[in-house]
Amino acid sequence: MVVAVSLFLLSPTLNSDVAAFRSNTIGASSHTLSQRISSINTINPSTSLFMAPSSNENSKRRSGKPKSKNKTKKKPPADTLLILKELEEKIDSYDGRLPSKMPANRETGDINLSDSQHQQHRCGFVGIVGAPNMGKSTLLNALLKEDLCIATRRPQTTRHAILGVLSSPTRQCCLLDTPGVLQGDGAYKLQANMMEAVKGALKDSDVLLVVTDMFSTPIPNDEIFRRLSLTNKPILVVVNKIDLEGRAQRPLDTASDEKNNDENEEEENEKTYTVAEAVAKWRNLLPNALAIIPMTAAPDPSTTERASESDVEEHPGIVLLRQLLVGSGKDEEDDIPASVRALGRPVPGMFRNGIKCLTNDDARNLLPVGPPLYDDDFLSDRSVRFFCSELIREALLESRYLKKELPYCCEVQITEFKEPRQAKELTRIEATIFVERDGQKAIVVGKNGNVIKQVGIIAREKIERFLDGEKVFLKLQVKVDKDWRKKDDALTKFGYSR
């Protein structure tokens, strides 16, 4: 028996011409006609291209095929080139995709660079790693100024490696949010695949961004931490959640309760309770880290309620980190020392031994020299369908009706995604929530469907905000896929393995 709940609101007037060309790929490249057509026909929401080449590289590959010496290359007819040019001009004005909120090159021109600019432009991948629930996804969202990744108070919210791209006229930073590092290889195949994503980021990234909290929560996997400590790649450390300083009480030096074993005592004693202690500890753990930046990645709730999304006040640490990665994105010269001073009085150990303060050259040399891999309005290689499934899963994690461990047994798959093609139509989404047991299905559905109805209401509101206010018809159903977290075919179907 399949239980379904449908939730919808009336849709505002939509531009039918724009809606007809609406792409299911976030920030799809607008550089070539072929890329736009392929992005419009996105089918598999689980597929992720970790290092998708730019349109320039695609054209080089196509033209790199060996040709016979006796054959001459035929040029396209002039009328064909004229038609393509007209199509490019018309589709360049298309605004149906979700754009990046970063300034990038919109005011300075196209991202196509000359040979001399290519020699100065820098581009690289930055892998974000850390223990679960350290705020890695929140940090990525703050850097992008976009709620791209779901973030909850529960650990292990992130299951996939998610790419987010920051672009400026001189640099492009490809940030990769990874699942929280677990002990060993995980308890089942899903967690093992999540750890493979973390190891892949360590291997393929040009810069590593380690995220911890004010309590200096360690990376629980010895192998992954060993790779971090031995790498020659640039490392930045973020001490997140410094707003908790002073709220947590340091344990007394007296004998602890008999119920606490020695491991718990040792773990408690390793915690840090001030920013200075956290910086000193991570400087000792990763002495080669270029900088250890204290910050609070999550915006102040009182500020976000009064201000619009673009006017939310950022912590100075976020501003500094973004400038280190891509610069200010403005015409004026970057001023890294000024951003460092905005943090307040320097904490001993913030910078690598021999560095008194970060300079503009330190920021410019962080990423390797190379042309941009993506166009300036590119935000992520994941599709809208994928992010909608993640928002439904976020609603499950936040539901007060579900037991603590139950949402971890759930997986969401979008089965139908129809964009509005006429005015006053709704975006129609159908999704299936998979669980592992019949008993779990009964809990997710709830008595008379009350639980799944509440989950659907929350999820629909999240999706509508993500789609910039578009009204959504959301239909949810619950099915059982027994032990899907342990089966290779199920993990492949859900996009966790290939």
Side-chain angles (χ1 to χ4, degrees):
M1 179 176 109
V2 175
V3 179
V5 175
S6 302
L7 303 148
F8 64 92
L9 293 173
L10 293 178
S11 171
T13 303
L14 297 175
N15 187 322
S16 58
D17 293 333
V18 172
F21 286 97
R22 177 69 185 269
S23 165
N24 277 351
T25 299
I26 300 287
S29 169
S30 60
H31 192 62
T32 65
L33 176 64
S34 61
Q35 285 181 320
R36 284 193 295 276
I37 294 174
S38 63
S39 66
I40 290 171
N41 293 297
T42 302
I43 296 176
N44 185 359
S46 302
T47 304
S48 171
L49 303 176
F50 177 63
M51 294 186 65
S54 67
S55 54
N56 293 336
E57 292 184 5
N58 283 333
S59 61
K60 290 179 181 179
R61 287 186 182 179
R62 288 193 292 269
S63 62
K65 297 180 180 179
K67 298 181 180 294
S68 171
K69 294 182 179 180
N70 298 328
K71 294 183 179 180
T72 58
K73 183 177 179 181
K74 295 182 179 180
K75 296 183 178 180
D79 56 345
T80 303
L81 294 176
L82 181 61
I83 293 173
L84 289 174
K85 182 178 180 181
E86 291 179 356
L87 287 173
E88 289 283 350
E89 291 175 353
K90 290 181 179 180
I91 300 182
D92 277 343
S93 62
Y94 159 66
D95 59 357
R97 67 181 61 87
L98 181 68
S100 170
K101 289 182 171 58
M102 297 304 297
N105 296 332
R106 289 179 185 82
E107 299 178 357
T108 58
D110 192 37
I111 201 167
N112 289 329
L113 305 175
S114 63
D115 292 339
S116 60
Q117 288 174 316
H118 271 309
Q119 295 176 0
Q120 299 175 359
H121 190 275
R122 291 180 177 270
C123 177
F125 281 82
V126 177
I128 305 175
V129 296
N133 210 24
M134 292 295 100
K136 298 182 293 298
S137 298
T138 304
L139 175 60
L140 176 62
N141 292 340
L143 291 171
L144 295 175
K145 296 185 178 181
E146 179 73 58
D147 288 336
L148 190 67
C149 301
I150 63 173
T152 71
R153 294 183 178 182
R154 297 196 179 191
Q156 299 179 33
T157 297
T158 302
R159 288 177 173 175
H160 298 268
I162 299 177
L163 177 68
V165 180
L166 274 173
S167 297
S168 71
T170 57
R171 278 174 272 178
Q172 187 173 85
C173 176
C174 306
L175 293 155
L176 193 68
D177 183 25
T178 62
V181 178
L182 305 173
Q183 290 184 351
D185 293 326
Y188 37 83
K189 288 186 177 180
L190 170 61
Q191 292 185 340
N193 288 348
M194 290 162 58
M195 290 305 95
E196 287 301 318
V198 176
K199 294 175 183 177
L202 288 175
K203 178 181 178 182
D204 297 331
S205 297
D206 302 292
V207 179
L208 296 174
L209 181 58
V210 180
V211 182
T212 184
D213 58 8
M214 200 196 65
F215 304 110
S216 298
T217 302
I219 294 176
N221 189 300
D222 292 339
E223 178 189 355
I224 291 178
F225 182 77
R226 182 182 62 83
R227 291 189 184 185
L228 279 172
S229 59
L230 296 178
T231 186
N232 293 323
K233 299 176 181 180
I235 297 178
L236 296 172
V237 178
V238 166
V239 178
N240 194 18
K241 306 180 183 181
I242 63 171
D243 56 321
L244 298 178
E245 185 175 19
R247 299 186 188 179
Q249 294 183 354
R250 191 186 302 272
L252 300 176
D253 295 333
T254 58
S256 59
D257 194 276
E258 295 180 357
K259 295 181 180 179
N260 294 332
N261 55 36
D262 293 339
E263 290 185 4
N264 289 336
E265 290 180 14
E266 182 179 353
E267 188 175 311
E268 190 71 23
N269 291 333
E270 290 179 353
K271 284 186 176 181
T272 56
Y273 292 86
T274 66
V275 173
E277 290 177 356
V279 171
K281 180 172 181 177
W282 280 93
R283 176 55 60 193
N284 183 53
L285 292 173
L286 296 173
N288 292 327
L290 176 63
I292 301 175
I293 306 173
M295 68 172 65
T296 299
D300 186 352
S302 60
T303 304
T304 55
E305 290 177 1
R306 298 190 303 267
S308 63
E309 190 171 339
S310 58
D311 297 331
V312 173
E313 185 177 353
E314 295 181 306
H315 190 276
I318 293 288
V319 178
L320 172 60
L321 181 58
R322 189 186 295 116
Q323 286 199 13
L324 284 172
L325 296 175
V326 293
S328 63
K330 301 178 182 178
D331 294 335
E332 59 263 24
E333 183 72 17
D334 295 334
D335 193 348
I336 298 298
S339 297
V340 173
R341 290 192 295 271
L343 284 174
R345 186 173 181 177
V347 178
M350 279 183 59
F351 310 118
R352 190 168 53 204
N353 188 25
I355 299 179
K356 292 184 178 180
C357 182
L358 294 177
T359 65
N360 295 334
D361 289 337
D362 292 327
R364 277 191 290 266
N365 297 329
L366 192 61
L367 297 176
V369 175
L373 296 174
Y374 303 94
D375 287 334
D376 65 320
D377 62 347
F378 190 94
L379 185 60
S380 179
D381 60 350
R382 299 281 186 172
S383 66
V384 173
R385 294 166 62 115
F386 169 82
F387 288 110
C388 288
S389 69
E390 286 286 275
L391 291 171
I392 297 172
R393 192 167 64 84
E394 183 181 37
L396 288 166
L397 287 165
E398 293 177 347
S399 174
R400 59 189 176 92
Y401 297 101
L402 300 180
K403 294 181 179 179
K404 185 176 180 179
E405 297 299 327
L406 184 57
Y408 295 104
C409 304
C410 298
E411 178 61 29
V412 179
Q413 189 174 48
I414 302 296
T415 55
E416 186 173 318
F417 191 104
K418 289 186 178 180
E419 303 248 6
R421 294 184 177 274
Q422 295 180 2
K424 297 184 179 181
E425 284 190 355
L426 305 174
T427 299
R428 301 182 65 88
I429 303 174
E430 295 186 13
T432 301
I433 300 172
F434 290 92
V435 294
E436 293 187 312
R437 300 283 187 272
D438 289 327
Q440 296 170 351
K441 176 180 176 180
I443 296 174
V444 173
V445 173
K447 186 177 181 180
N448 299 324
N450 289 334
V451 175
I452 193 173
K453 180 180 179 181
Q454 292 299 322
V455 169
I457 292 173
I458 297 172
R460 190 202 67 232
E461 292 174 351
K462 290 176 178 290
I463 294 172
E464 288 177 343
R465 286 196 299 269
F466 183 76
L467 297 179
D468 293 333
E470 289 186 17
K471 297 305 178 182
V472 171
F473 172 93
L474 177 61
K475 180 179 179 181
L476 298 178
Q477 60 181 355
V478 184
K479 292 183 178 180
V480 177
D481 190 343
K482 187 176 181 180
D483 294 329
W484 68 265
R485 292 183 295 178
K486 302 177 182 178
K487 298 191 299 187
D488 289 329
D489 58 342
L491 294 176
T492 301
K493 177 177 69 173
F494 296 140
Y496 294 106
S497 60
R498 296 181 180 180

